[in-house]
Amino acid sequence: MMILVTGGAGFIGANFVLDWLAKSDEPLVNLDVLTYAGNLDTLRTLDGDQRHVFVRGSIGDSELVTQLLTQYKPRAVINFAAESHVDRSIHGPEDFIQTNIVGTFHLLEAVRAYWGELEEDSRQNFRMLHVSTDEVYGSLTKDEPAFTETHRYEPNSPYSASKAASDHLVRAYHHTYGLPVLTTNCSNNYGPYHFPEKLIPLMIVNALAGKTLPVYGDGQQIRDWLYVKDHCSAIRRVLESGKLGEVYNVGGWNEKPNIEIVHTICALLDELRPRPDGASYRSQITYVTDRPGHDRRYAIDASKLQRELNWKPAETFETGIRKTVQWYLDNQDWVVNVQSGNYRDWVEKNYNERHA
Ligand code: NAD
Ligand code: DAU
């Protein structure tokens, strides 16, 4: 038995791969094209581990995906591969359309052909799990109830629109061809190996480097945070026991305004790595021009997953964020390695035009 993971060198995919191989001996093929967000450093502890087969390539390369499916005969495919950063999708949407929509389409086609040729038993047991996001549901006002699985799709950024399109394709392949799919829509993740273009790692890395902490707009936008290992455990649970064709929302019941997140990070750093001048890291906070079309609030109702599949997160926000800050303090080498020229170009592009 074997599984195929796509995008397994990115933040969540790599956490999933490490977690999977820590918990089971079932090998996996990891297909990742290694964009700026893919990083083999994250998987270094698996060097020489026969259970991990890394293949550099794209989900959009039908020939390669078909070859991998035929060669390794996975019992499941888990699709993490995507362009994932909202701000990048605003600066340049095309990659998002290519990977998240066209790439997912090619992956679905290759998987459908493979699944169609399997023997009855394997056909029955095969699963394709598509990893998606709460952003497809759009934005909530302060008092609206959290997103359930039946909430209308109202994506607002090129990123969320491309993820919404991929979700619809996955749904259609189940409805039309009977492909045994599962979809998870998760809230904001945080934890180890998070690329420092996203809010939490960017704030930690900038704080330690003595740089400004750029809070978009009024900082009152709300996100619902889940520790990445809890997302991984939810995916495993849905893969094992989810009902075919169903969607499961994944979240940690941890809604927080952005500014509160930044204050929490500053307080943890003040405690764990005080600034030499004795001032608080809070003094580095700068309010900057808002993200265009910025969604005000996300909140996930994960009660279906809890009720039907008996899943709940292991971490609270307080335990998860402390582990995360400590991880970044302990893994400065990883941080330095991902801050390549490409990273510096992005930081310049995204932040130089935002006025304080
Ligand atoms: P990430 O940007 O850190 O990693 C994406 C990975 O996909 C990278 O390793 C990249 O090299 C790879 N990739 C990109 N295009 C590819 C292609 N064409 N073929 C193969 N590999 C390709 O993203 P992430 O934060 O780990 O997110 C993983 C998935 O989870 C995405 O689908 C994202 O939409 C979804 N998601 C993310 C969050 C979050 O908070 N980060 C929350 C909910 C859902
Ligand atoms: O909700 C799930 C989504 O969460 C995933 O689908 C996306 O892949 C993931 O990137 C994330 O999207 P967000 O846009 O919510 O995450 P990000 O970390 O970019 O931003 C979180 C919030 O912080 C958001 O309201 C914007 C704000 N922000 C972000 C950055 C990078 C700032 O105020 N300053 C910043 O510098």
Side-chain angles (χ1 to χ4, degrees):
M1 298 237 279
M2 180 142 201
I3 62 167
L4 171 65
V5 169
T6 72
F11 164 48
I12 306 173
N15 271 286
F16 182 85
V17 166
L18 292 169
D19 201 52
W20 180 269
L21 293 174
K23 293 198 166 78
S24 96
D25 274 334
E26 184 175 359
L28 62 84
V29 183
N30 182 354
L31 174 67
D32 194 303
V33 79
L34 296 181
T35 65
Y36 76 93
N39 184 7
L40 287 181
D41 230 24
T42 307
L43 300 167
R44 188 166 285 165
T45 53
L46 298 177
D47 282 355
D49 189 328
Q50 306 287 313
R51 300 170 305 161
H52 179 235
V53 180
F54 182 81
V55 178
R56 184 172 192 179
S58 171
I59 55 168
D61 182 345
S62 313
E63 212 175 298
L64 174 64
V65 176
T66 302
Q67 183 223 308
L68 294 176
L69 291 169
T70 316
Q71 183 178 350
Y72 292 103
K73 304 204 173 354
R75 68 173 176 97
V77 173
I78 306 175
N79 183 30
F80 293 95
E83 290 293 338
S84 71
H85 190 32
V86 174
D87 291 320
R88 285 189 192 251
S89 83
I90 295 167
H91 282 274
E94 184 154 3
D95 286 348
F96 290 72
I97 306 306
Q98 283 308 330
T99 296
N100 300 358
I101 307 179
V102 181
T104 303
F105 160 70
H106 285 301
L107 180 66
L108 281 164
E109 276 292 273
V111 170
R112 177 166 81 91
Y114 163 71
W115 170 73
E117 297 287 305
L118 288 173
E119 292 189 0
E120 189 51 29
D121 244 21
S122 309
R123 227 173 106 85
Q124 288 291 330
N125 292 326
F126 182 81
R127 300 283 180 273
M128 171 161 169
L129 192 151
H130 177 62
V131 179
S132 193
T133 169
D134 60 0
E135 297 202 13
V136 297
Y137 299 126
S139 184
L140 293 168
T141 59
K142 203 160 160 273
D143 303 318
E144 276 178 303
F147 301 126
T148 63
E149 289 79 0
T150 53
H151 196 281
R152 194 166 56 173
Y153 268 40
E154 285 179 329
N156 290 320
S157 72
Y159 162 68
S160 54
S162 67
K163 289 298 290 186
S166 69
D167 293 6
H168 290 324
L169 283 170
V170 170
R171 178 191 154 88
Y173 271 63
H174 176 70
H175 192 80
T176 305
Y177 305 114
L179 194 70
V181 303
L182 298 153
T183 300
T184 53
N185 290 85
C186 189
S187 62
N188 285 60
N189 284 214
Y190 67 101
Y193 306 113
H194 204 181
F195 194 73
E197 64 184 355
K198 308 278 171 70
L199 179 74
I200 288 181
L202 182 101
M203 293 298 162
I204 301 172
V205 166
N206 276 17
L208 291 171
K211 295 185 180 159
T212 57
L213 308 180
V215 174
Y216 295 168
D218 63 2
Q220 293 300 329
Q221 302 82 7
I222 291 172
R223 296 293 182 267
D224 188 353
W225 295 94
L226 182 70
Y227 193 61
V228 64
K229 288 184 199 304
D230 283 324
H231 188 187
C232 296
S233 78
I235 291 171
R236 291 171 72 95
R237 185 65 55 85
V238 172
L239 185 66
E240 278 159 21
S241 317
K243 262 207 240 146
L244 294 186
E246 293 275 318
V247 172
Y248 295 90
N249 280 355
V250 187
W253 308 99
N254 275 314
E255 283 185 62
K256 308 261 182 227
N258 292 339
I259 190 64
E260 196 180 314
I261 298 288
V262 179
H263 285 162
T264 303
I265 291 168
C266 290
L268 282 166
L269 287 173
D270 287 341
E271 174 197 327
L272 299 168
R273 182 68 56 87
R275 276 177 33 156
D277 64 1
S280 168
Y281 287 96
R282 272 196 191 209
S283 60
Q284 291 168 231
I285 293 174
T286 312
Y287 287 88
V288 298
T289 314
D290 209 351
R291 173 185 279 173
H294 199 170
D295 284 338
R296 198 69 185 161
R297 173 176 167 240
Y298 303 142
I300 272 284
D301 179 340
S303 50
K304 175 178 173 184
L305 184 55
Q306 185 162 354
R307 194 178 56 247
E308 295 185 9
L309 304 187
N310 198 23
W311 173 87
K312 60 178 196 312
E315 301 290 343
T316 62
F317 185 72
E318 288 64 34
T319 59
I321 193 70
R322 182 173 281 275
K323 283 186 183 174
T324 304
V325 170
Q326 189 64 57
W327 187 88
Y328 278 87
L329 288 172
D330 295 342
N331 289 276
Q332 285 295 302
D333 287 357
W334 184 89
V335 174
V336 170
N337 285 342
V338 298
Q339 288 174 310
S340 64
N342 183 314
Y343 177 76
R344 285 194 292 275
D345 292 348
W346 163 251
V347 168
E348 205 166 300
K349 190 172 184 182
N350 191 43
Y351 294 97
N352 273 7
E353 66 193 29
R354 289 180 194 275
H355 303 294

